[in-house]
Amino acid sequence: MILEKVIAILAEYKECDANEIHENSTFEELELDSLDTVDLMMTFEDEFEIQLEMSEDIKTVGDIVKAIEEQK
């Protein structure tokens, strides 16, 4: 559920097909720079009503999902 929602948000943000984004997709593969990442983190915080900490450990879509699940 969370993974699907995160992928949908990323697909809308990147204006690409959600099928191109997977749990193991990295920010680098998705061509997300640091500004994109900050913008997306704020979107995730609003969508899931949580507070996310930017971390060097968050590098993939799966890492985002894990961080969100830890806040729920």
Side-chain angles (χ1 to χ4, degrees):
M1 170 78 183
I2 292 175
L3 176 62
E4 290 82 9
K5 199 177 236 187
V6 167
I7 288 174
I9 291 167
L10 286 166
E12 182 178 332
Y13 186 85
K14 289 292 297 174
E15 298 178 354
C16 69
D17 187 349
N19 292 326
E20 297 174 15
I21 302 171
H22 307 282
E23 188 171 3
N24 295 328
S25 298
T26 65
F27 294 158
E28 191 174 311
E29 290 170 349
L30 297 172
E31 298 177 357
L32 297 171
D33 62 23
S34 58
L35 189 58
D36 292 327
T37 304
V38 169
D39 195 27
L40 282 163
M41 288 297 172
M42 290 190 299
T43 302
F44 295 136
E45 287 178 340
D46 291 343
E47 183 69 33
F48 294 100
E49 298 178 351
I50 57 168
Q51 291 291 316
L52 289 172
E53 296 270 335
M54 274 307 298
S55 167
E56 297 282 323
D57 296 335
I58 299 178
K59 296 179 180 167
T60 68
V61 173
D63 293 339
I64 295 170
V65 172
K66 184 178 174 188
I68 292 169
E69 288 173 341
E70 289 173 356
Q71 295 285 319
K72 287 294 201 178

